Amino acid sequence: MDSFLQVQKSTIALLGFDLFSENREMWKRPYRAMNVFSIAAIFPFILAAVLHNWKNVLLLADAMVALLITILGLFKFSMILYLRRDFKRLIDKFRLLMSNEAEQGEEYAEILNAANKQDQRMCTLFRTCFLLAWALNSVLPLVRMGLSYWLAGHAEPELPFPCLFPWNIHIIRNYVLSFIWSAFASTGVVLPAVSLDTIFCSFTSNLCAFFKIAQYKVVRFKGGSLKESQGTLNKVFALYQTSLDMCNDLNQCYQPIICAQFFISSLQLCMLGYLFSITFAQTEGVYYASFIATIIIQAYIYCYCGENLKTESASFEWAIYDSPWHESLGAGGASTSICRSLLISMMRAHRGFRITGYFFEANMEAFSSIVRTAMSYITMLRSFS
C-alpha cells in the first residue's frame, strides 16, 4: 500500500500540486507548473510555423509533430485539473480496499506487493523513455548547429520546437531567450503525460491484483456448512463487484484521455515515421527514433494494461469452474441457491471488463491497428515528397 501511495504522490508532485491536500493547499509548488503554462504561451508560435511551412512536406511534418505534442500535453494537464477530485476519491478507495485485503492474509499482501513492484518497473521504464526523448529534443538543436558550423562555417539558429516568432532569433539575445523558453516548455509536454500514464498503469495493476485475490479466494473457498459456504462466496463476489465498480470509475475518467491519446498517437507515428525514413542516416534520425519509441511505449501501456485488466477480470469465470464448489454442496434448496450464484457470477465474469476510448477498446488488437495505420500513412507521405 505504501508503494502504491508513493507512486501517486511522486507522479502528481511532478506537476507542482498535491491531490492529497485540500483545495487551498493543493498548489504546494506552483512554480513547477509554470512549464505547462509556458507551452500554452508558445502554442500560437508553433501553429504559425505549421501554417508557414504547409507547402513543404518535411518541414510541415516536423511542425505538425510539435503541434500535436503540444495539444496532447495541454489536454492531459487540463484533464488532471478537471478530474483531480475523482482521482483523489479513486486513490482513497484503492487504499481502503488494499488495506482490507492485506490484513486478511500474507498471501493477499504478497499479490498486492507483486503488482506494485511490477507497476514501479513499468513506470520507471516509461519515465526513462520520456526523459530521454526530452533530453534529445533539447540537445539536438545545439548538436545540429555545432555540426553545421564545423562543416560549413556557419549555422542557422534552431529551437527544440519549430516556432515562428515575430522577433529575429538570429540575434544572440533573442535566440537564447527563445531557446530557454522552448526547452522549458517541452517539460510541459513530458510531465502531464508521465503523470497521467503512470497513474493509469498503477490503477490497472492494482485492479488486476484485486481480481487475482478474488480468484485465489474462490478457488480455495470451502465451508463447513452450506450457510458458511454461501457467506464466504458472498464476500468473494462482493470483492469482485467492488473491483468492477472501480474499473468503471477508472474507465469513465480515462475515456476522453484514451480517445485523444490513440488519435494523436496515430498521427504522430505516421509523421515521425516519415521523418525518420527521410533522416535515418543523419543526426536527427536518433532523435526521431527515440521519439517513435516513446510514442509506441505510451500507446502500448494503455493497450497492455487494458488487455491485462480484461484477462484478469474474465479469468474469474475459470476460477469458479476450478473451485471445489461440489464439496460444499448438499441436498436441498440451499445448494440450489449456491449453484445459481455461481452460474450468474460465471456469466458476468465471462464478459470481463473492457477499457474503452468511446469508439474502441484499449487492447493489443487496437495497438496493432495503430501501428499498421501509421505504416500506411508513412507510405502515403513518402509518395508526396
Side-chain angles (χ1 to χ4, degrees):
M1 186 184 71
D2 293 338
S3 59
F4 169 78
L5 185 59
Q6 187 62 36
V7 169
Q8 312 309 321
K9 283 188 173 182
S10 60
T11 51
I12 292 297
L14 292 173
L15 292 172
F17 54 86
D18 186 4
L19 290 181
F20 301 91
S21 301
E22 298 297 331
N23 289 337
R24 291 176 300 177
E25 301 177 358
M26 187 181 71
W27 294 90
K28 295 176 62 177
R29 301 177 179 86
Y31 62 86
R32 287 189 180 180
M34 289 300 295
N35 45 26
V36 181
F37 300 135
S38 64
I39 198 171
I42 208 173
F43 177 82
F45 305 111
I46 299 176
L47 180 60
V50 171
L51 299 176
H52 180 74
N53 297 311
W54 72 275
K55 291 184 178 180
N56 189 314
V57 178
L58 185 63
L59 296 178
L60 177 63
D62 191 23
M64 278 298 299
V65 169
L67 183 67
L68 291 171
I69 292 170
T70 305
I71 292 173
L72 187 59
L74 292 174
F75 176 75
K76 286 192 172 183
F77 182 72
S78 63
M79 290 302 296
I80 290 176
L81 292 180
Y82 178 71
L83 297 171
R84 64 183 186 276
R85 293 186 180 89
D86 297 317
F87 284 145
K88 188 177 186 303
R89 282 194 293 267
L90 262 178
I91 291 172
D92 291 339
K93 289 181 181 179
F94 271 82
R95 292 171 61 190
L96 179 61
L97 188 57
M98 291 171 68
S99 299
N100 293 337
E101 295 302 321
E103 292 174 355
Q104 295 183 25
E106 293 184 0
E107 62 272 28
Y108 307 138
E110 290 178 1
I111 293 175
L112 292 170
N113 289 332
N116 281 283
K117 288 180 180 179
Q118 180 184 5
D119 167 54
Q120 288 179 334
R121 287 194 296 267
M122 290 189 64
C123 292
T124 300
L125 174 63
F126 183 65
R127 289 176 184 174
T128 301
C129 291
F130 247 87
L131 291 175
L132 177 62
W134 171 78
L136 290 174
N137 182 61
S138 301
V139 173
L140 180 63
L142 301 178
V143 174
R144 292 168 60 178
M145 289 173 61
L147 288 175
S148 178
Y149 185 81
W150 181 45
L151 296 174
H154 69 277
E156 288 293 322
E158 298 187 22
L159 299 170
F161 283 120
C163 300
L164 185 63
F165 292 112
W167 53 82
N168 185 6
I169 62 173
H170 289 81
I171 300 175
I172 296 179
R173 181 185 61 185
N174 292 345
Y175 172 74
V176 171
L177 293 176
S178 301
F179 184 89
I180 294 174
W181 184 13
S182 299
F184 190 65
S186 64
T187 61
V189 174
V190 175
L191 298 185
V194 171
S195 298
L196 265 183
D197 298 348
T198 52
I199 288 176
F200 179 79
C201 183
S202 181
F203 279 143
T204 54
S205 294
N206 284 278
L207 282 170
C208 289
F210 294 148
F211 287 126
K212 288 180 180 178
I213 292 174
Q215 297 168 32
Y216 185 93
K217 287 183 175 181
V218 78
V219 167
R220 290 159 179 79
F221 97 93
K222 187 176 181 181
S225 62
L226 288 174
K227 184 177 180 181
E228 184 178 349
S229 298
Q230 185 68 65
T232 303
L233 283 176
N234 288 341
K235 292 180 181 178
V236 177
F237 295 153
L239 172 61
Y240 185 77
Q241 185 59 50
T242 300
S243 302
L244 289 176
D245 292 339
M246 294 169 69
C247 287
N248 187 57
D249 293 340
L250 179 66
N251 193 46
Q252 288 182 353
C253 290
Y254 270 89
Q255 270 186 332
I257 298 169
I258 293 175
C259 183
Q261 177 69 61
F262 279 36
F263 176 73
I264 293 179
S265 293
S266 300
L267 296 177
Q268 285 177 324
L269 282 176
C270 72
M271 294 178 187
L272 286 169
Y274 167 74
L275 292 171
F276 177 72
S277 66
I278 299 296
T279 63
F280 72 94
Q282 305 174 17
T283 309
E284 296 92 329
V286 178
Y287 162 70
Y288 291 132
S290 66
F291 221 136
I292 290 172
T294 301
I295 299 301
I296 289 177
I297 291 175
Q298 193 174 25
Y300 178 79
I301 280 183
Y302 282 100
C303 295
Y304 174 79
C305 292
E307 186 75 26
N308 275 357
L309 199 59
K310 176 183 175 181
T311 301
E312 292 297 337
S313 59
S315 296
F316 189 67
E317 174 190 12
W318 293 102
I320 295 174
Y321 180 81
D322 294 333
S323 66
W325 56 270
H326 54 280
E327 299 179 7
S328 301
L329 299 181
S335 61
T336 304
S337 176
I338 291 180
C339 288
R340 187 182 299 112
S341 299
L342 292 172
L343 286 174
I344 293 174
S345 299
M346 290 180 71
M347 292 171 63
R348 173 58 188 91
H350 179 73
R351 292 186 291 142
F353 188 88
R354 293 167 173 79
I355 295 292
T356 62
Y358 292 123
F359 314 109
F360 54 87
E361 180 183 343
N363 54 22
M364 297 310 298
E365 183 180 353
F367 177 76
S368 301
S369 177
I370 289 175
V371 175
R372 288 196 304 267
T373 303
M375 294 301 295
S376 63
Y377 285 150
I378 291 171
T379 304
M380 181 185 69
L381 287 173
R382 284 186 63 87
S383 65
F384 291 157
S385 60

PDB file of all heavy atoms in Angstrom, residues 60 89 115 126 155 265 291 311:
ATOM      1  N   LEU A  60       6.622  20.687 -42.745  1.00  0.00           N
ATOM      2  CA  LEU A  60       5.259  20.639 -42.228  1.00  0.00           C
ATOM      3  C   LEU A  60       5.086  19.471 -41.260  1.00  0.00           C
ATOM      4  O   LEU A  60       4.457  19.617 -40.203  1.00  0.00           O
ATOM      5  CB  LEU A  60       4.271  20.512 -43.385  1.00  0.00           C
ATOM      6  CG  LEU A  60       2.792  20.374 -42.998  1.00  0.00           C
ATOM      7  CD1 LEU A  60       2.313  21.622 -42.263  1.00  0.00           C
ATOM      8  CD2 LEU A  60       1.937  20.105 -44.224  1.00  0.00           C
ATOM      9  N   ARG A  89     -10.661  10.536  -4.978  1.00  0.00           N
ATOM     10  CA  ARG A  89     -11.633   9.557  -4.485  1.00  0.00           C
ATOM     11  C   ARG A  89     -11.224   8.135  -4.876  1.00  0.00           C
ATOM     12  O   ARG A  89     -11.352   7.204  -4.058  1.00  0.00           O
ATOM     13  CB  ARG A  89     -13.023   9.882  -5.035  1.00  0.00           C
ATOM     14  CG  ARG A  89     -13.724  11.033  -4.324  1.00  0.00           C
ATOM     15  CD  ARG A  89     -15.193  11.078  -4.674  1.00  0.00           C
ATOM     16  NE  ARG A  89     -15.394  11.421  -6.079  1.00  0.00           N
ATOM     17  CZ  ARG A  89     -15.582  12.671  -6.512  1.00  0.00           C
ATOM     18  NH1 ARG A  89     -15.570  13.684  -5.651  1.00  0.00           N
ATOM     19  NH2 ARG A  89     -15.773  12.901  -7.800  1.00  0.00           N
ATOM     20  N   ALA A 115       2.141  -6.765  -7.552  1.00  0.00           N
ATOM     21  CA  ALA A 115       1.537  -5.862  -8.533  1.00  0.00           C
ATOM     22  C   ALA A 115       2.173  -4.481  -8.481  1.00  0.00           C
ATOM     23  O   ALA A 115       2.446  -3.865  -9.522  1.00  0.00           O
ATOM     24  CB  ALA A 115       0.030  -5.758  -8.286  1.00  0.00           C
ATOM     25  N   PHE A 126       8.963   3.832 -18.409  1.00  0.00           N
ATOM     26  CA  PHE A 126       8.236   4.853 -19.147  1.00  0.00           C
ATOM     27  C   PHE A 126       8.844   6.239 -18.897  1.00  0.00           C
ATOM     28  O   PHE A 126       9.023   7.028 -19.835  1.00  0.00           O
ATOM     29  CB  PHE A 126       6.772   4.823 -18.721  1.00  0.00           C
ATOM     30  CG  PHE A 126       5.899   5.786 -19.458  1.00  0.00           C
ATOM     31  CD1 PHE A 126       5.680   5.652 -20.817  1.00  0.00           C
ATOM     32  CD2 PHE A 126       5.283   6.835 -18.793  1.00  0.00           C
ATOM     33  CE1 PHE A 126       4.869   6.530 -21.502  1.00  0.00           C
ATOM     34  CE2 PHE A 126       4.471   7.717 -19.469  1.00  0.00           C
ATOM     35  CZ  PHE A 126       4.266   7.570 -20.825  1.00  0.00           C
ATOM     36  N   ALA A 155      26.015  28.559 -39.035  1.00  0.00           N
ATOM     37  CA  ALA A 155      24.902  27.736 -38.541  1.00  0.00           C
ATOM     38  C   ALA A 155      23.659  28.595 -38.400  1.00  0.00           C
ATOM     39  O   ALA A 155      23.728  29.741 -37.943  1.00  0.00           O
ATOM     40  CB  ALA A 155      25.254  27.103 -37.197  1.00  0.00           C
ATOM     41  N   SER A 265      -1.654   9.806 -31.185  1.00  0.00           N
ATOM     42  CA  SER A 265      -0.516   8.897 -31.362  1.00  0.00           C
ATOM     43  C   SER A 265      -0.449   8.346 -32.775  1.00  0.00           C
ATOM     44  O   SER A 265       0.642   8.187 -33.340  1.00  0.00           O
ATOM     45  CB  SER A 265      -0.598   7.744 -30.359  1.00  0.00           C
ATOM     46  OG  SER A 265      -0.417   8.195 -29.041  1.00  0.00           O
ATOM     47  N   PHE A 291      11.909   9.260 -30.262  1.00  0.00           N
ATOM     48  CA  PHE A 291      10.554   9.794 -30.150  1.00  0.00           C
ATOM     49  C   PHE A 291       9.527   8.741 -30.557  1.00  0.00           C
ATOM     50  O   PHE A 291       8.472   8.584 -29.924  1.00  0.00           O
ATOM     51  CB  PHE A 291      10.407  11.034 -31.030  1.00  0.00           C
ATOM     52  CG  PHE A 291       9.621  12.121 -30.368  1.00  0.00           C
ATOM     53  CD1 PHE A 291      10.039  13.443 -30.424  1.00  0.00           C
ATOM     54  CD2 PHE A 291       8.450  11.840 -29.684  1.00  0.00           C
ATOM     55  CE1 PHE A 291       9.317  14.445 -29.815  1.00  0.00           C
ATOM     56  CE2 PHE A 291       7.720  12.834 -29.064  1.00  0.00           C
ATOM     57  CZ  PHE A 291       8.148  14.143 -29.133  1.00  0.00           C
ATOM     58  N   THR A 311      -8.239  -9.618 -19.204  1.00  0.00           N
ATOM     59  CA  THR A 311      -7.892 -11.026 -18.974  1.00  0.00           C
ATOM     60  C   THR A 311      -8.128 -11.436 -17.532  1.00  0.00           C
ATOM     61  O   THR A 311      -8.733 -12.482 -17.255  1.00  0.00           O
ATOM     62  CB  THR A 311      -6.423 -11.275 -19.358  1.00  0.00           C
ATOM     63  OG1 THR A 311      -6.230 -10.932 -20.736  1.00  0.00           O
ATOM     64  CG2 THR A 311      -6.042 -12.736 -19.143  1.00  0.00           C
TER      65      THR A 311
END
